[in-house]
Amino acid sequence: MEKLWSKDYVLNIVGNLLLFVVFYLLMVYTTKLAITEFNVSVSEAGLASGIFIVGALVARLVISRYMDFIGRKRMLIIAVVIHAICTFGYHFIDGMLFLCTLRFVQGMTYGMASTVIATTVASTVIATTVASIVPESRRGEGIGYFTLSITLGSAIGPFLGISLPQINPLYALVLCDVLSISLIVLAFILNITEIKVGFRQRVEVKSFRLRTFFEPTATPISIVALLGAIGYSAVMSYIGTYSETIGLLLGGSLFYIAYSIACLIFRPISGVMIDRYGNHVVMVPILFTMILGFVAIALAHSNLVLLLGAVLVGIGYGSIPSAGQTIAVQKVKLNKFSLATSTLYIALDLGNGIGPYILGMVVPIYGFRAVYMCSAIAALLAFLFYIGMIIKSRKESVAV
């Protein structure tokens, strides 16, 4: 069996973990800050939180086109330096306009950095002329382990974002400062494979057609990811407030731990299963499980049911980034890896960005439980769309 755990592979995982810890920590911190300090509505607080993702979305649209022209390592260093400057800016927030502007700019740097790191791991999966970070035969498994850094970040970040301000509000920001500086150090250490830009890519980058911003073959799985991310955004932004509202504080405090444990166990398994048995064997069950998870959260009247929902969502949505990235890059050439990866992450970012604001508007009218039923509906649409993808591909195979 080919070697998976190389030094560069591990360093990429560590860098991605640090980036996502800061992301999730500030996501939780910002929502609470907006509500308590600036006295805004839940939906407006969701906007302050989600505008970070909108910034990331804007950055990915640009980065996917110009990354290989500017140089991946150079782009990563620029991104993490500006990211650190924005992190220091949280010490000086004095209003919603400053907060939203800061969140948007930092979101752009997050989009730049995460795209570079994710594309580096994905693209070197099939590189035959350079030293591979992940061997081709272990593509799904390698990407699965890599995206566990997102899972750990989604558990560690919110936990610290909730617990540290209760001790001292300054602690959360100081920790983010330290992690951001660590990212700069890692950016200089990382060995990042650069891709030589060909003539056709130089011609395409001058065009502003839709296909120069999105990889068509990655669009179907990206739509599935978008719908799942809209549903999960309600968990990311509101689960703490929701659990407090329904009197399940214990379940709320343990939610991300249960979610992460489920991801840690199942995500590597899903990667191996995609490698061995194909996409559908993994995607159909995880999408159905995601539906059940959101329904369990919406109907929870005990800590046990709420935590069951966390586990089911962890198995379901928690597997989408890794499985989705594996599927997105399966049918593209090496020079299209950055665009395919970016297309998927744009969808995830868009869902996480617009979800808190859209679903937050449901709260004043129907309450928090209705928010998670809407999440279940979004997951159901993702499931039905993927079933449609299967039917379409089989018809095309028969026609050929």
Side-chain angles (χ1 to χ4, degrees):
M1 184 175 291
E2 296 175 275
K3 182 180 179 181
L4 176 62
W5 294 96
S6 66
K7 181 193 71 174
D8 291 327
Y9 178 64
V10 172
L11 287 176
N12 272 280
I13 290 176
V14 172
N16 209 48
L17 173 62
L18 295 181
L19 187 65
F20 275 87
V21 168
V22 175
F23 161 47
Y24 281 107
L25 193 160
L26 291 177
M27 183 73 75
V28 174
Y29 180 87
T30 301
T31 304
K32 186 173 182 180
L33 176 69
I35 294 173
T36 58
E37 296 295 325
F38 305 129
N39 196 30
V40 299
S41 68
V42 173
S43 183
E44 289 172 321
L47 175 63
S49 178
I51 200 169
F52 180 99
I53 307 298
V54 177
L57 172 63
V58 172
R60 291 194 199 280
L61 286 170
V62 177
I63 293 305
S64 62
R65 290 168 58 85
Y66 300 108
M67 181 193 306
D68 293 329
F69 290 86
I70 298 172
R72 296 182 179 186
K73 182 155 187 170
R74 183 181 303 168
M75 182 66 71
L76 180 60
I77 292 172
I78 293 171
V80 295
V81 168
I82 301 176
H83 181 274
I85 294 172
C86 290
T87 302
F88 298 145
Y90 282 83
H91 294 278
F92 307 102
I93 293 173
D94 59 359
M96 281 294 291
L97 180 60
F98 185 10
L99 174 61
C100 289
T101 303
L102 187 66
R103 293 284 294 165
F104 181 81
V105 175
Q106 189 176 38
M108 292 183 69
T109 65
Y110 155 81
M112 292 167 63
S114 59
T115 299
V116 173
I117 294 173
T119 303
T120 298
V121 172
S123 63
T124 52
V125 165
I126 63 169
T128 56
T129 60
V130 297
S132 299
I133 291 180
V134 180
E136 182 178 1
S137 63
R138 303 179 71 178
R139 178 186 304 174
E141 182 184 2
I143 293 177
Y145 283 123
F146 169 74
T147 51
L148 279 178
S149 58
I150 302 176
T151 303
L152 289 174
S154 70
I156 298 171
F159 174 76
L160 294 175
I162 294 172
S163 59
L164 288 180
Q166 294 176 359
I167 303 171
N168 188 320
L170 190 61
Y171 289 173
L173 295 182
V174 171
L175 177 60
C176 287
D177 294 340
V178 173
L179 295 181
S180 296
I181 293 172
S182 300
L183 271 170
I184 295 175
V185 175
L186 265 176
F188 281 95
I189 296 175
L190 281 174
N191 179 27
I192 296 179
T193 302
E194 303 288 355
I195 301 299
K196 185 178 180 180
V197 179
F199 175 77
R200 184 174 180 180
Q201 195 173 357
R202 291 181 185 277
V203 173
E204 287 181 349
V205 79
K206 296 178 182 179
S207 170
F208 284 89
R209 294 176 300 170
L210 189 62
R211 67 179 299 144
T212 63
F213 290 93
F214 301 98
E215 171 54 43
T217 58
T219 301
I221 191 62
S222 297
I223 293 173
V224 173
L226 167 66
L227 292 167
I230 289 174
Y232 180 71
S233 70
V235 172
M236 185 171 61
S237 296
Y238 302 129
I239 197 65
T241 307
Y242 172 60
S243 62
E244 184 177 352
T245 301
I246 62 177
L248 301 177
L249 288 173
L250 178 61
S253 62
L254 297 176
F255 186 94
Y256 288 107
I257 295 176
Y259 170 86
S260 299
I261 290 174
C263 290
L264 285 168
I265 294 173
F266 191 78
R267 186 174 287 183
I269 296 175
S270 67
V272 173
M273 290 180 67
I274 283 181
D275 288 338
R276 294 183 180 179
Y277 305 111
N279 305 333
H280 307 331
V281 172
V282 174
M283 288 300 300
V284 171
I286 67 174
L287 290 173
F288 185 72
T289 303
M290 182 169 61
I291 299 171
L292 296 179
F294 288 134
V295 171
I297 295 171
L299 302 179
H301 288 280
S302 68
N303 289 309
L304 184 61
V305 175
L306 185 61
L307 292 176
L308 174 63
V311 171
L312 293 175
V313 172
I315 294 172
Y317 178 78
S319 299
I320 287 180
S322 59
Q325 187 173 349
T326 303
I327 295 170
V329 301
Q330 279 178 343
K331 297 180 180 180
V332 299
K333 296 180 180 179
L334 184 59
N335 67 339
K336 292 286 187 178
F337 263 52
S338 59
L339 192 60
T341 301
S342 178
T343 300
L344 176 72
Y345 277 84
I346 283 171
L348 291 169
D349 286 346
L350 182 61
N352 282 314
I354 66 175
Y357 182 71
I358 295 173
L359 298 179
M361 291 190 290
V362 175
V363 177
I365 306 172
Y366 300 106
F368 270 113
R369 292 191 184 277
V371 169
Y372 293 102
M373 287 306 298
C374 289
S375 295
I377 293 172
L380 175 61
L381 292 175
F383 177 80
L384 294 175
F385 186 85
Y386 191 82
I387 295 298
M389 287 171 56
I390 296 175
I391 294 172
K392 181 182 178 182
S393 65
R394 289 182 176 176
K395 286 183 177 179
E396 290 175 349
S397 298
V398 172
V400 173

